[in-house]
Amino acid sequence: MVGSPQPRDDVGSQRPRVIVGTVRTRVIVGSARARPPPDGTPRPQLAAEESPRPRVIFGTPRARVIVGSPRPRVIVSSPWPAVVVASPRPRAPVGSPWPRVIVGTPRPRVIVGSPRARVAGADLSSAPSQGAPQGRRQDEHSGSSEEGPRPGGAAPGRRQGHVRLLSTAQGVGEEEEAAPDELEDWAQPCHTARPAASGWSLHSTPTRAVWLWDKGEELEAPFSIIPPTKCLRKEAALHVHKDFHPRVTCACQEHRTGTVGFKISKVIVVGDLSVGKTCLINRFCKDTFDKNYKATIGVDFEMERFEVLGIPFSLQLWDTAGQERFKCIASTYYRGAQAIIIVFNLNDVASLEHTKQWLADALKENDPSSVLLFLVGSKKDLSTPAQYVLMEKDALKVAQEMKAEYWAVSSLTGENVREFFFRVAALTFEANVLAELEKSGARRIGDVVRINSNDNNLYLTAGKKKSTCCP
Ligand SMILES: Nc1nc2c(ncn2[C@@H]2O[C@H](COP(=O)(O)OP(=O)(O)OP(=O)(O)O)[C@@H](O)[C@H]2O)c(=O)[nH]1
């Protein structure tokens, strides 16, 4: 088990101490615990904090708590989370000069004081339990930070430059400029956060979606609870009613949607490696496309903010790793999803077959009766019409088996991407409002409780307002 003992370097050597043959390899550069040489010459103490080089620790069995370390940390295959408390360096998502690379850690890192942690705290049911994950792409091994815009296009600058605030619910009102740090945190309750930060505004049919990012341009997009037929064949859609459920429309008109506007709904995106999950999310959230493959390590997520029927609504889109070796990390984030998007490559039949396993894994962590399912064929631009027809037949069969709604998209051209996410947002919103109405039960949201001290029954629901539009 333990290798034959190797001669150690001379004590006092200026070289790093390397112990070969132990179960755990330790390479400590600039260790502060170096023993003094036998001749008594005091050896210069090279404190870890002063080390000119990054500390490299392989497989250390102990948790490391690094308080305000001024140095970059490179941690490979650590089984323990790195806990960074009150780091003096700003951990702004954009342009951090300090590479942080964590490969294969099975537990989320806890970053206290991170601006992202506040986002996670907004809704503990949908947010990760220990702060938001710092999603990473594999090219970070090179030390470059991927927190800035990814190559492949000019990412709209929600996190850079200026964004526009939309000051009316209808998306046609006054606009004003605001620096990102002036914006309401995503986690702020949306009712008070109006005017909403940039995002999508969805209305009942006929409708328009307004997208105002740094470009300030308004994009019209058709939206309906029924997707346009060119996007989706009838048999592929699970929900065939013409518009939102009447109870939902009514509740929105009367502003009786309870906590829906305060919640962040979690959507997870799963599927084989390289099927295009990241590109799909990036096409919608950043309007970018990267033709270079960079494997997602663990998970990453994007927030997207909508306004549906005048009610603010947020989706948290979780991009999970498709590579087997990162699956165990990614699967810890499956819990609490309200919608599951299973992606396969329209040009790779094996990836379609694997979707059932992806669904089974995702459902282990979620309630199958309440979660919305979507089966998405990606890279439509690479299929010829004839190939597509063949694949669509198989995909529809699988979708019906799993009771998922089927979509075919291309992140390269953008075909159906926006329509698809609008659909996800609309159906998730509808499910949320219906659940909220269900939960409120006998006592309707918005009712006033009058307390009458002369009455034996102290708690009376007073004057239930008869709804003018609810069935
Ligand atoms: N032609 C074409 N290529 C695509 C499309 N979507 C993704 N790709 C390419 O497919 C490769 C993989 O895309 P990713 O989005 O990184 O795949 P992924 O599913 O996130 O992969 P993992 O992170 O390993 O799970 C990249 O080279 C993309 O450029 C598409 O719609 N059309």
Side-chain angles (χ1 to χ4, degrees):
M1 218 173 84
V2 178
S4 59
Q6 300 289 316
R8 279 192 186 185
D9 287 340
D10 285 342
V11 179
S13 157
Q14 291 302 313
R15 286 184 294 152
R17 201 154 57 103
V18 180
I19 302 170
V20 184
T22 63
V23 182
R24 300 185 300 267
T25 315
R26 274 188 307 152
V27 179
I28 304 174
V29 181
S31 164
R33 289 192 292 160
R35 274 183 288 164
D39 61 4
T41 320
R43 190 178 170 201
Q45 286 285 315
L46 197 55
E49 289 75 17
E50 290 156 12
S51 165
R53 282 190 279 165
R55 247 175 351 135
V56 182
I57 302 171
F58 291 97
T60 169
R62 286 178 295 166
R64 278 158 294 106
V65 178
I66 303 165
V67 181
S69 164
R71 297 280 158 205
R73 284 163 293 114
V74 181
I75 300 159
V76 183
S77 296
S78 164
W80 297 97
V83 181
V84 182
V85 183
S87 167
R89 291 197 311 270
R91 290 186 174 275
V94 182
S96 166
W98 302 97
R100 280 173 297 137
V101 182
I102 297 196
V103 182
T105 170
R107 297 211 220 153
R109 284 179 309 149
V110 183
I111 300 183
V112 181
S114 158
R116 284 192 180 191
R118 277 184 298 143
V119 174
D123 180 0
L124 295 177
S125 66
S126 65
S129 55
Q130 295 176 311
Q134 308 291 300
R136 291 291 175 268
R137 306 285 290 178
Q138 197 150 45
D139 62 345
E140 283 185 342
H141 289 291
S142 65
S144 68
S145 170
E146 264 295 307
E147 288 169 328
R150 293 181 184 170
R158 186 190 322 140
R159 291 178 187 140
Q160 319 158 320
H162 281 68
V163 295
R164 283 173 181 272
L165 299 182
L166 191 62
S167 65
T168 75
Q170 299 307 312
V172 288
E174 223 178 285
E175 289 168 15
E176 53 180 300
E177 294 275 322
D181 51 6
E182 291 170 49
L183 287 175
E184 299 278 352
D185 192 7
W186 287 110
Q188 292 293 313
C190 297
H191 288 316
T192 57
R194 284 205 189 174
S198 62
W200 297 97
S201 184
L202 308 183
H203 306 271
S204 189
T205 49
T207 188
R208 60 199 290 262
V210 182
W211 188 23
L212 290 170
W213 269 351
D214 60 341
K215 293 177 198 163
E217 59 185 315
E218 285 196 10
L219 304 176
E220 295 283 338
F223 169 74
S224 163
I225 194 79
I226 287 281
T229 42
K230 74 178 175 65
C231 300
L232 194 61
R233 285 167 52 166
K234 202 174 163 227
E235 58 268 39
L238 281 185
H239 308 269
V240 288
H241 43 276
K242 283 207 174 89
D243 207 334
F244 288 104
H245 192 289
R247 289 185 70 199
V248 172
T249 320
C250 169
C252 292
Q253 279 169 8
E254 296 180 354
H255 294 280
R256 290 187 297 102
T257 50
T259 58
V260 171
F262 296 82
K263 279 187 184 159
I264 299 169
S265 292
K266 181 173 179 177
V267 176
I268 56 171
V269 184
V270 297
D272 275 6
L273 77 155
S274 194
V275 291
K277 300 180 291 295
T278 305
C279 287
L280 180 64
I281 293 174
N282 284 349
R283 170 57 76 194
F284 180 62
C285 297
K286 303 176 182 172
D287 201 20
T288 59
F289 178 79
D290 186 354
K291 63 179 171 29
N292 301 310
Y293 171 58
K294 299 181 197 99
T296 305
I297 298 167
V299 288
D300 202 348
F301 80 92
E302 290 290 337
M303 291 284 300
E304 201 54 65
R305 198 165 197 173
F306 299 85
E307 193 176 274
V308 186
L309 301 178
I311 307 295
F313 184 62
S314 295
L315 284 188
Q316 208 176 32
L317 301 171
W318 288 75
D319 178 15
T320 65
Q323 282 197 22
E324 193 61 37
R325 61 191 165 136
F326 301 128
K327 211 172 155 185
C328 63
I329 309 169
S331 60
T332 59
Y333 291 92
Y334 288 172
R335 192 177 300 174
Q338 294 189 18
I340 300 172
I341 299 172
I342 310 135
V343 185
F344 71 97
N345 180 351
L346 283 167
N347 311 282
D348 175 9
V349 76
S351 69
L352 174 63
E353 284 160 13
H354 297 160
T355 54
K356 291 176 198 165
Q357 188 55 50
W358 283 107
L359 175 64
D361 291 346
L363 286 182
K364 275 185 210 155
E365 304 289 335
N366 290 289
D367 176 7
S369 65
S370 64
V371 79
L372 289 163
L373 302 179
F374 298 89
L375 180 69
V376 176
S378 63
K379 309 191 188 183
K380 191 163 182 253
D381 57 285
L382 295 179
S383 311
T384 62
Q387 283 169 339
Y388 177 70
V389 168
L390 279 179
M391 190 55 119
E392 190 192 49
K393 215 170 130 215
D394 292 342
L396 280 172
K397 215 167 128 213
V398 174
Q400 274 155 16
E401 276 169 32
M402 39 169 83
K403 298 196 169 32
E405 187 167 291
Y406 168 70
W407 282 75
V409 300
S410 166
S411 307
L412 177 78
T413 63
E415 183 183 350
N416 288 349
V417 172
R418 198 181 304 157
E419 290 83 349
F420 167 64
F421 280 107
F422 284 2
R423 176 89 168 146
V424 174
L427 293 179
T428 316
F429 174 80
E430 185 182 55
N432 267 290
V433 177
L434 286 173
E436 193 71 31
L437 293 172
E438 188 77 22
K439 207 168 64 183
S440 64
R443 186 174 175 273
R444 296 168 52 131
I445 302 166
D447 282 351
V448 176
V449 178
R450 187 189 298 158
I451 300 172
N452 185 348
S453 58
N454 297 330
D455 210 314
N456 286 339
N457 184 0
L458 274 180
Y459 298 94
L460 277 183
T461 304
K464 277 190 181 174
K465 206 171 72 182
K466 181 80 183 140
S467 167
T468 48
C469 57
C470 274

